[in-house]
Amino acid sequence: MPVLLPTSRSRGRTGATRAGTGGHAVIIAGGGPTGLMLAAELALAQVDVAIVERRADHALVGTRAGGLHARSIEILDQRGVADRFLREGQIAQLAGFAWTRLDISDLPTRHAYGLALRQNHIERILADWVAELAVPIYRSTEVTGFAQDEAGVDVTLSSGQALRADYLVGCDGGRSLVRKAAGIDFAGSDPTLSNLMAEVEMSQEPAWGLRQDALGFHGLSKAESGRVLVVVTEATLARTGEPGLRDLSEALVAVYRTDFDLKNPAWISRFTDAARQAASYRKGRVLLAGDAAHIHHSVGGQGLNTGVQDAVNLGWKLAQVVKGISPQNLLDTYHAERHPVAARVLRNTRAQIALLRRAEDGLNAARDIVSELLAMDEPRKHLGATMSGLDIRYDCGEGHPLLGRRMPDLDLIVDDGPARLFTLLHGARGVLINFGEAQNFDIAPWTNRISAINASYDGAWELPAIGEVSAPDAVLVRPDGHVAWVGDKSESGLTEAMTTWFGPAAAA
């Protein structure tokens, strides 16, 4: 059998194993949005990372995810690539709860909106970025097995090739082989409804718009291709596997009494409201991210966004562990921080499906009451921040409201002149910002991991779902944009925070 070679080579990366000796520091199973984002994060940290992807290229059949929420756009902005996505998508108010739109345009963020952009375009743009970062991709193959020991992981590919890695990350979807082979439980609920989604042509004029009935919820709209985008609830859960034109026709007839003479499907897919989450996001040297770690119904459009945010939380931590900067227990904070976030997503998608499931008097009344509540400012802002990912808080201790939350993209004045705060995060490094009188923090043992600047900011400090907060004297911002320390001139707690998140002090 011929040896399969990656499509590009990484350069100047670090790790215990190296390309050319049959391995990489990190192997990512799956090259969807989560895997690509994680690869980019690791490459920015100069880690030798490779992707194993079963597809021959990043062409994607089907619509799948339909956009990016505000926090995901912020994350891309933190890396200096948001404009690539904004140029191709359509700015819109995407956040919604059970078909009630949530206008987030007054939330305190530079990106107080969503971006309507289909997953095939999101993947293509991410793949182009990853190619610029020279990440090798083993295409037309997939991970079929692995064995881990105390020093690393031996990974077997469907091509017959074997690779050695320090760590393996499963970004291989809801049916993740990596998760199953690792023996990680995927607990949750079985499906109660089944939806078909398709992009087709119709000879007859469709009944445009959304509809609810005794079966569930349905919709017919125009796809960007000019075809008809169909979402229809099936009358039974008995059908599984790959759906065909007959399945779609019968489902449409059951709802609309006609299939509108549908023909020439570009694709047809089936999805359910099954909701499951990995009991652990890590087992030894094997980690999970994205759909491999959590699945749920697509209502609310949170799946892709949650996966991308998983990758950004994990990437810098894994890089520090691979480089020997931080101990392995830093990886435990990945599960501790991201597992509750996905659990909350599963909870709100279950709630939305419960409201949308049937056109019954009780559910109609409940939907009306929810819509009334979401017309009020405080409930709208609260749920809008939740659905768009702007209110996420990690446990970084007690104290200032900024602790653990995403740092606002402030317009700063630094020594070189005006600068947006997010530009300080483009290199995926931590940054210590002093807002008081100019001073030099004692960070000499961490200077290869953290940048320190003096800055001034003249404006209100306001957080989504929280409101205005007091101005801090100084903040330590992690590479993922979350605040790890808020302090004053005394520097109390700074050394402990730097040690926790950026490893022990380097020897002089």
Side-chain angles (χ1 to χ4, degrees):
M1 181 176 292
V3 175
L4 183 68
L5 296 177
T7 55
S8 61
R9 291 285 184 184
S10 59
R11 296 185 176 88
R13 309 269 168 77
T14 60
T17 54
R18 298 290 178 272
T21 60
H24 302 273
V26 179
I27 292 174
I28 298 171
T34 301
L36 290 167
M37 191 72 208
L38 178 58
E41 290 291 289
L42 290 166
L44 286 171
Q46 295 297 303
V47 168
D48 175 18
V49 56
I51 296 172
V52 176
E53 169 55 42
R54 61 181 176 80
R55 290 173 291 169
D57 56 43
H58 271 91
L60 186 66
V61 176
T63 297
R64 301 195 189 183
L68 297 170
H69 284 307
R71 180 56 187 154
S72 297
I73 302 171
E74 283 192 341
I75 283 172
L76 295 166
D77 202 354
Q78 288 173 186
R79 298 298 180 256
V81 296
D83 286 347
R84 304 184 187 199
F85 298 84
L86 293 171
R87 281 195 298 266
E88 297 202 26
Q90 181 178 354
I91 288 174
Q93 290 299 321
L94 290 184
F97 187 86
W99 288 0
T100 298
R101 287 293 181 193
L102 297 167
D103 186 343
I104 64 168
S105 59
D106 57 351
L107 293 188
T109 170
R110 199 178 297 273
H111 302 288
Y113 49 77
L115 186 70
L117 185 65
R118 293 298 178 187
Q119 182 171 334
N120 56 329
H121 300 305
I122 294 170
E123 284 200 22
R124 172 177 49 79
I125 299 168
L126 283 172
D128 288 345
W129 182 32
V130 164
E132 292 171 14
L133 294 170
V135 174
I137 301 178
Y138 295 81
R139 294 195 179 278
S140 301
T141 190
E142 53 192 318
V143 172
T144 56
F146 61 85
Q148 63 171 313
D149 53 44
E150 291 184 1
V153 188
D154 292 308
V155 181
T156 305
L157 307 186
S158 58
S159 64
Q161 189 173 1
L163 298 172
R164 178 73 172 173
D166 293 349
Y167 289 88
L168 170 65
V169 185
C171 299
D172 50 342
R175 297 182 178 89
S176 171
L177 180 141
V178 173
R179 184 191 65 241
K180 294 174 183 176
I184 298 174
D185 188 31
F186 204 40
S189 56
D190 293 328
T192 65
L193 62 80
S194 176
N195 293 120
L196 292 178
M197 180 179 281
E199 199 171 303
V200 299
E201 295 178 3
M202 290 181 171
S203 298
Q204 300 176 25
E205 182 73 11
W208 301 110
L210 302 173
R211 176 179 297 199
Q212 284 177 287
D213 58 23
L215 286 179
F217 53 93
H218 325 281
L220 300 174
S221 59
K222 288 185 179 180
E224 61 181 29
S225 65
R227 294 170 179 254
V228 180
L229 180 63
V230 179
V231 178
V232 61
T233 302
E234 294 186 276
T236 177
L237 285 170
R239 294 177 177 175
T240 59
E242 291 297 323
L245 197 61
R246 181 177 176 181
D247 296 310
L248 183 60
S249 174
E250 290 179 358
L252 285 168
V253 169
V255 175
Y256 297 96
R257 298 185 179 180
T258 177
D259 65 3
F260 304 103
D261 194 17
L262 66 90
K263 57 187 177 182
N264 299 331
W267 53 270
I268 305 174
S269 63
R270 175 179 279 122
F271 59 95
T272 73
D273 64 335
R276 297 187 177 277
Q277 187 173 20
S280 174
Y281 284 14
R282 177 192 174 207
K283 190 169 185 179
R285 291 178 173 270
V286 177
L287 299 111
L288 304 174
D291 289 353
H294 40 76
I295 61 167
H296 50 84
H297 196 278
S298 63
V299 64
Q302 298 166 94
L304 181 151
N305 291 271
T306 305
V308 166
Q309 291 164 35
D310 286 346
V312 175
N313 183 284
L314 173 61
W316 64 278
K317 298 173 181 177
L318 185 54
Q320 290 183 179
V321 172
V322 165
K323 290 180 170 184
I325 293 170
S326 294
Q328 285 195 29
N329 62 15
L330 179 63
L331 296 177
D332 294 335
T333 68
Y334 167 59
H335 171 92
E337 292 183 343
R338 292 304 299 173
H339 194 276
V341 171
R344 187 175 66 164
V345 171
L346 265 64
R347 179 171 173 263
N348 79 54
T349 53
R350 284 185 174 117
Q352 292 180 74
I353 291 299
L355 289 172
L356 293 173
R357 184 171 175 77
R358 296 281 189 270
E360 299 171 353
D361 288 346
L363 288 176
N364 288 338
R367 281 192 295 270
D368 288 344
I369 290 172
V370 169
S371 293
E372 289 176 8
L373 287 172
L374 295 181
M376 303 176 186
D377 277 350
E378 289 310 309
R380 172 184 60 81
K381 290 179 179 180
H382 173 81
L383 202 51
T386 296
M387 298 296 292
S388 58
L390 291 170
D391 72 336
I392 293 170
R393 180 187 181 275
Y394 301 138
D395 184 4
C396 292
E398 299 299 322
H400 196 282
L402 274 169
L403 269 174
R405 298 187 183 276
R406 33 72 81 192
M407 183 69 181
D409 185 22
L410 307 176
D411 290 309
L412 305 175
I413 300 297
V414 297
D415 290 342
D416 296 333
R420 287 175 46 206
L421 188 140
F422 280 4
T423 64
L424 306 178
L425 298 171
H426 284 184
R429 285 167 50 94
V431 58
L432 176 62
I433 308 172
N434 169 47
F435 291 100
E437 294 181 6
Q439 64 174 315
N440 295 317
F441 286 100
D442 182 17
I443 66 164
W446 291 272
T447 52
N448 63 332
R449 314 165 207 173
I450 303 169
S451 301
I453 66 166
N454 291 304
S456 61
Y457 170 68
D458 183 17
W461 288 77
E462 190 175 1
L463 300 175
I466 297 294
E468 197 161 324
V469 300
S470 60
D473 289 330
V475 293
L476 176 64
V477 184
R478 307 187 324 188
D480 59 359
H482 284 257
V483 177
W485 173 82
V486 178
D488 52 31
K489 294 177 182 179
S490 71
E491 302 184 25
S492 175
L494 177 58
T495 297
E496 292 80 0
M498 290 191 293
T499 302
T500 296
W501 299 110
F502 298 98

